[in-house]
Amino acid sequence: MAEVKQIISEAEEAMDMAFMYLEEAFAHIRAGKANIRILDGIRVDSYGSKVPLNNVASVSTPDARTIAIKPWDKNMFKVIEKAIMDSNVGITPENNGEIIRLGIPPLTEERRKQLVKQCSKELETAKVSIRNARRDGLDSLKKAKKDGLPEDEEKDGETKLQKVHDKYIKKVDELMASKEKEIMTV
């Protein structure tokens, strides 16, 4: 029985990783309002090494349509602006000598639909990962049955594994529904 619990636990951990991947992917998709997480992937050249933007500046959202970046070193203004321009954020920075502002433009209807499609692709990737975790768990249960696990324990394990799978599929679908609502809200 301990072996069945181990298999289900490993499958659940893999499904949880897929859910966390989806949350992270959704965080990087901007939904029309300012979110500092869209800058997470930006690396800045600081004294010869590439570091995350938040290591060289404070990043905040003073209002729903603006991201403010205040570099700790005045020499970093140009470097930060260049890193933002080179990234795929798609927003032009405005520099007033004290602070760099990123104005988040309102999304067009067409852009909203593109973002929902992008979210759907990420959702499908997460669902495939969850299904793969279930499949791997089922394979492990079948192998354990060949190695002497009683058939009724294998069937119980399969049922439990299916319940865990269904729970995670429901979680990712709910996450998608909330992200789609966030994107489509004008």
Side-chain angles (χ1 to χ4, degrees):
M1 191 63 195
E3 192 175 356
V4 173
K5 285 182 181 174
Q6 172 78 25
I7 291 169
I8 292 171
S9 170
E10 287 173 5
E12 188 167 12
E13 189 177 321
M15 291 177 193
D16 198 44
M17 294 294 278
F19 179 74
M20 290 185 333
Y21 159 81
L22 186 63
E23 280 183 319
E24 185 69 23
F26 281 1
H28 293 282
I29 297 173
R30 72 182 177 96
K33 61 181 186 257
N35 181 353
I36 61 172
R37 294 202 53 198
I38 64 171
L39 301 176
D40 281 355
I42 296 178
R43 298 265 184 232
V44 180
D45 191 22
S46 174
Y47 302 108
S49 62
K50 294 274 189 189
V51 296
L53 179 60
N54 60 3
N55 284 13
V56 296
S58 63
V59 183
S60 62
T61 53
D63 61 60
R65 293 258 179 242
T66 310
I67 296 176
I69 304 165
K70 187 164 174 59
W72 297 319
D73 182 356
K74 296 278 189 212
N75 299 332
M76 294 303 292
F77 276 98
K78 293 281 183 227
V79 178
I80 292 172
E81 283 183 317
K82 183 176 179 345
I84 293 169
M85 293 295 279
D86 293 346
S87 73
N88 62 356
V89 174
I91 302 169
T92 305
E94 300 165 21
N95 174 359
N96 68 2
E98 290 290 316
I99 201 163
I100 298 171
R101 281 195 173 76
L102 299 177
I104 308 296
L107 296 172
T108 62
E109 188 65 27
E110 185 180 327
R111 182 68 179 137
R112 289 176 194 279
K113 288 178 181 171
Q114 285 176 339
L115 291 173
V116 169
K117 279 184 186 174
Q118 187 180 346
C119 288
S120 296
K121 287 178 186 168
E122 296 293 352
L123 172 72
E124 198 50 46
T125 301
K127 282 185 171 183
V128 167
S129 297
I130 291 169
R131 291 185 198 114
N132 286 343
R134 178 187 60 184
R135 186 199 62 226
D136 293 346
L138 291 174
D139 290 348
S140 297
L141 285 170
K142 285 185 175 108
K143 185 176 182 294
K145 182 181 164 198
K146 286 181 184 172
D147 294 343
L149 182 74
E151 190 174 332
D152 59 334
E153 281 187 29
E154 181 211 8
K155 292 293 178 201
D156 288 346
E158 286 179 9
T159 305
K160 287 177 186 170
L161 194 57
Q162 185 62 42
K163 284 180 183 171
V164 170
H165 167 268
D166 294 344
K167 178 181 90 172
Y168 275 97
I169 291 291
K170 186 173 184 249
K171 275 175 76 172
V172 297
D173 283 338
E174 288 169 357
L175 188 63
M176 176 63 186
S178 72
K179 185 66 177 181
E180 186 173 358
K181 183 178 177 216
E182 181 185 338
I183 290 170
M184 295 310 280
T185 302
V186 178

